[in-house]
Amino acid sequence: MTEPDLKPSNFLRQIIERDLAEGTYAQRHFGGSPGDAAHHAAGPRDPAKIRTRFPPEPNGYLHIGHAKSICLNFGLARDYSGVCHLRFDDTNPEKEEQEYVDAILDAVKWLGYEWKGNSTSHLYQASNYFDFMYRAAEALVTADLAYVDEQSAEAMRAHRGDFGKPGTNSPYRSRTTAENLARLREMRDGKLADGAAVLRAKIDMASPNINLRDPALYRIKRATHHHTGDAWCIYPMYTYAHPIEDALENITHSICTLEFEDQRPFYDWLLDHLCTLGLLAQPRPHQYEFARLNLTYIVTSKRKLRQLVDEGHVDGWDDPRMPTIVGLRRRGYTAASLRLLAERSGASKAGGWIDYSSLDIALRDDLDPQAPRACVVLDPLKLKLTNFADVFGSDGFQEPCHAPVHPAKPELGKREFMLTNEVWIEREDFMEVPSKGFFRLTPPRVDAAGVAQPGSKARLKYGVVVECTGFEKDADGVVTAVLATVVPDTKSGTPGSDAVKVKGVITWVSVSTGAAIEVRLYDRLFSEAQPEAGGRDFLTVLNPNSKKKISAFAEASLLYASAAAHFQFERHGYFVADRVEHAAGKPVFNRTATLKDVWAK
Ligand code: ATP
Ligand code: MG
């Protein structure tokens, strides 16, 4: 198992270390904010050794794949004396909302990162670069590197060719630069209808890389942008905007997922030309691609997550079954566990699937050494201690019992709860006829060989040893209570308490002093490891039993647990007080993950 703070080397680290050793970016200047070549040249030497960025489009809630990208980009910047920018890639006027912007800021902060470096905030918005992007477009047109194409969409598609077939030049490709410039200005000024023309790079219609066959740079779209309003009726294409955003911000290592690999030649073409034209600072950023994080039993696509929410398959973006950061957080996964998963999954060029259990393993590794323990009974069956009054004086007596808050951290002290004449135990801790190897509670009986067997003895954890004497059943044959007697002088922590040896230890909660709690048991949202394998509709493999609400009992202190507090419920796993619905006096807990199978046997 990898240690939490061990950072496995990956190819990105090697590239950064090479650049640092060679001083690739050592001479850069930084104008204190994003800007063109002149702006940066006027500033001092860039105090950041490297600059990375996390560039979400604010069109949905972030998911665990984004968490990976956040950890990677912010983590590399931290490790190599750099800074990581948080940039809203809001160049697409549609589908973007403030709600998502706020949620993204919150998610990055919660994951433990900040976008400040060298006392500057590096929170940026790509829509602030629209002026520069347009200026660069005019410069490309003037340099005969771009042209306005007025072919119909179908004609453009037909001229593009395909994998085996080179494209052919548009009839508009040979217009003069003056004509192109005039047309581009008409596009900008709203003189052309939506879709009537596009600005295209003039590269090579026969390139084997289809992305270099004169890609579109600008389109006409009358849409109100959430920041720039109606200032623009032309918007840059993502492939044009993204490299420019990186360059304006002095990014050194622009890290993205593998699907952008084929875009890299255009990224390089564009930035090289804009640098040569003197518009952008050098040395320019470079793009590096890594394989996206795929976890089994979830889907990670904002579009599909939205479908789950919109169609009511889950209770919202923060439903604890959702792989969104808000969902994972509400479920009880800690920021440290997500960082651990990101670290352990490394960064490589080879894609692949990581088993969902890796996330649970990371959670246990984070919480086991620190989460306070608590006793709860999830499937309650009443245990009546029939000689309680004889041993403790009266049936109303409360005998205080003590347990460590954390078994490995005595400095955290002890928790106290009461033993009373009736306690809740787990239904599975009683067997009328024991199976082989069952060491918990069984009544006196005559076995198959006709031999009378006494009732079993077991220890109520942190309490006393009890001996099972019988049980009660209702008319349907369902066991409604177990009867037992307290074995005197066996109270945990008192001298001689372990003189009576027992093999079974049982968790319990006092009936009269315990707290009623609501517990939500979550399971995988999909019943197939790869919900979309073979082109399957992921909605057809939703797990119908992914959420179960139960009424349970807990030691009294949980009544006042604070919201979002994490616990290990002894024997059951890791649970968190629900961030949204838990309240003092009305406790609601979510199961984050089960324990490793420590109780089996
Ligand atoms: P989605 O497909 O879910 O909508 P996206 O890539 O369109 O995701 P963006 O907001 O554009 O979403 O992504 C922001 C950053 O997060 C990008 O750099 C993207 O490459 C990265 N990212 C998205 N999904 C993953 C993933 N599964 N693993 C690693 N990085 C990811
Ligand atoms: Mg995207």
mmCIF file of all heavy atoms in Angstrom, residues 120 167 227 298 322 363 443 450 462 510 535 574 593:
data_model
loop_
_atom_site.group_PDB
_atom_site.id
_atom_site.type_symbol
_atom_site.label_atom_id
_atom_site.label_comp_id
_atom_site.label_asym_id
_atom_site.label_seq_id
_atom_site.Cartn_x
_atom_site.Cartn_y
_atom_site.Cartn_z
ATOM 1 N N THR A 120 -1.019 36.829 -4.844
ATOM 2 C CA THR A 120 -1.937 37.235 -5.911
ATOM 3 C C THR A 120 -3.023 36.177 -6.026
ATOM 4 O O THR A 120 -2.734 34.996 -5.905
ATOM 5 C CB THR A 120 -1.203 37.298 -7.273
ATOM 6 O OG1 THR A 120 0.001 38.032 -7.098
ATOM 7 C CG2 THR A 120 -2.067 37.952 -8.333
ATOM 8 N N GLY A 167 -9.359 16.763 -47.634
ATOM 9 C CA GLY A 167 -10.428 17.735 -47.874
ATOM 10 C C GLY A 167 -10.104 18.586 -49.099
ATOM 11 O O GLY A 167 -9.025 18.453 -49.701
ATOM 12 N N HIS A 227 -21.534 36.838 -18.341
ATOM 13 C CA HIS A 227 -20.691 37.959 -17.907
ATOM 14 C C HIS A 227 -20.668 39.113 -18.893
ATOM 15 O O HIS A 227 -20.719 40.265 -18.499
ATOM 16 C CB HIS A 227 -19.243 37.498 -17.676
ATOM 17 C CG HIS A 227 -19.055 36.886 -16.340
ATOM 18 N ND1 HIS A 227 -18.488 35.647 -16.162
ATOM 19 C CD2 HIS A 227 -19.398 37.326 -15.106
ATOM 20 C CE1 HIS A 227 -18.487 35.352 -14.884
ATOM 21 N NE2 HIS A 227 -19.037 36.345 -14.219
ATOM 22 N N ILE A 298 -19.655 3.931 -11.589
ATOM 23 C CA ILE A 298 -20.167 5.299 -11.666
ATOM 24 C C ILE A 298 -20.091 5.762 -13.121
ATOM 25 O O ILE A 298 -19.454 5.104 -13.946
ATOM 26 C CB ILE A 298 -19.366 6.289 -10.777
ATOM 27 C CG1 ILE A 298 -17.899 6.333 -11.215
ATOM 28 C CG2 ILE A 298 -19.464 5.933 -9.322
ATOM 29 C CD1 ILE A 298 -17.141 7.477 -10.585
ATOM 30 N N MET A 322 -24.151 10.100 -5.699
ATOM 31 C CA MET A 322 -23.602 10.733 -6.900
ATOM 32 C C MET A 322 -22.083 10.858 -6.810
ATOM 33 O O MET A 322 -21.543 11.159 -5.748
ATOM 34 C CB MET A 322 -24.208 12.127 -7.064
ATOM 35 C CG MET A 322 -25.652 12.105 -7.513
ATOM 36 S SD MET A 322 -25.787 11.796 -9.285
ATOM 37 C CE MET A 322 -25.626 13.484 -9.910
ATOM 38 N N LEU A 363 -10.526 6.025 1.867
ATOM 39 C CA LEU A 363 -11.283 6.587 2.987
ATOM 40 C C LEU A 363 -10.875 5.925 4.306
ATOM 41 O O LEU A 363 -10.644 6.597 5.309
ATOM 42 C CB LEU A 363 -12.787 6.395 2.777
ATOM 43 C CG LEU A 363 -13.573 6.992 3.947
ATOM 44 C CD1 LEU A 363 -13.813 8.473 3.731
ATOM 45 C CD2 LEU A 363 -14.864 6.266 4.204
ATOM 46 N N PRO A 443 -29.667 -19.992 23.048
ATOM 47 C CA PRO A 443 -30.352 -20.408 24.281
ATOM 48 C C PRO A 443 -29.964 -21.839 24.672
ATOM 49 O O PRO A 443 -29.411 -22.569 23.847
ATOM 50 C CB PRO A 443 -31.819 -20.337 23.877
ATOM 51 C CG PRO A 443 -31.820 -20.636 22.413
ATOM 52 C CD PRO A 443 -30.536 -20.070 21.866
ATOM 53 N N GLY A 450 -29.275 -35.380 21.237
ATOM 54 C CA GLY A 450 -30.099 -35.545 22.431
ATOM 55 C C GLY A 450 -29.423 -35.081 23.703
ATOM 56 O O GLY A 450 -29.888 -35.357 24.807
ATOM 57 N N TYR A 462 -17.288 -3.725 26.245
ATOM 58 C CA TYR A 462 -17.078 -2.655 27.240
ATOM 59 C C TYR A 462 -18.031 -2.809 28.434
ATOM 60 O O TYR A 462 -18.100 -1.926 29.290
ATOM 61 C CB TYR A 462 -17.285 -1.246 26.654
ATOM 62 C CG TYR A 462 -16.537 -1.002 25.365
ATOM 63 C CD1 TYR A 462 -17.219 -0.714 24.186
ATOM 64 C CD2 TYR A 462 -15.141 -1.063 25.332
ATOM 65 C CE1 TYR A 462 -16.542 -0.483 23.007
ATOM 66 C CE2 TYR A 462 -14.462 -0.845 24.138
ATOM 67 C CZ TYR A 462 -15.171 -0.554 22.981
ATOM 68 O OH TYR A 462 -14.515 -0.331 21.811
ATOM 69 N N SER A 510 -27.973 0.753 25.090
ATOM 70 C CA SER A 510 -29.009 0.724 26.129
ATOM 71 C C SER A 510 -30.361 1.166 25.561
ATOM 72 O O SER A 510 -30.459 2.165 24.844
ATOM 73 C CB SER A 510 -28.589 1.665 27.262
ATOM 74 O OG SER A 510 -29.737 2.159 27.940
ATOM 75 N N GLY A 535 -21.973 0.073 -25.259
ATOM 76 C CA GLY A 535 -22.967 1.033 -25.716
ATOM 77 C C GLY A 535 -24.298 0.943 -24.988
ATOM 78 O O GLY A 535 -25.290 1.529 -25.406
ATOM 79 N N TYR A 574 -17.674 3.256 8.328
ATOM 80 C CA TYR A 574 -17.515 4.695 8.507
ATOM 81 C C TYR A 574 -18.815 5.396 8.159
ATOM 82 O O TYR A 574 -19.439 5.105 7.135
ATOM 83 C CB TYR A 574 -16.352 5.200 7.647
ATOM 84 C CG TYR A 574 -15.062 4.611 8.162
ATOM 85 C CD1 TYR A 574 -14.526 3.455 7.597
ATOM 86 C CD2 TYR A 574 -14.444 5.152 9.286
ATOM 87 C CE1 TYR A 574 -13.380 2.874 8.118
ATOM 88 C CE2 TYR A 574 -13.302 4.584 9.817
ATOM 89 C CZ TYR A 574 -12.773 3.443 9.231
ATOM 90 O OH TYR A 574 -11.667 2.867 9.767
ATOM 91 N N ALA A 593 -18.727 4.026 4.000
ATOM 92 C CA ALA A 593 -18.156 2.762 3.531
ATOM 93 C C ALA A 593 -18.177 1.764 4.669
ATOM 94 O O ALA A 593 -18.119 2.149 5.839
ATOM 95 C CB ALA A 593 -16.724 2.977 3.059
#
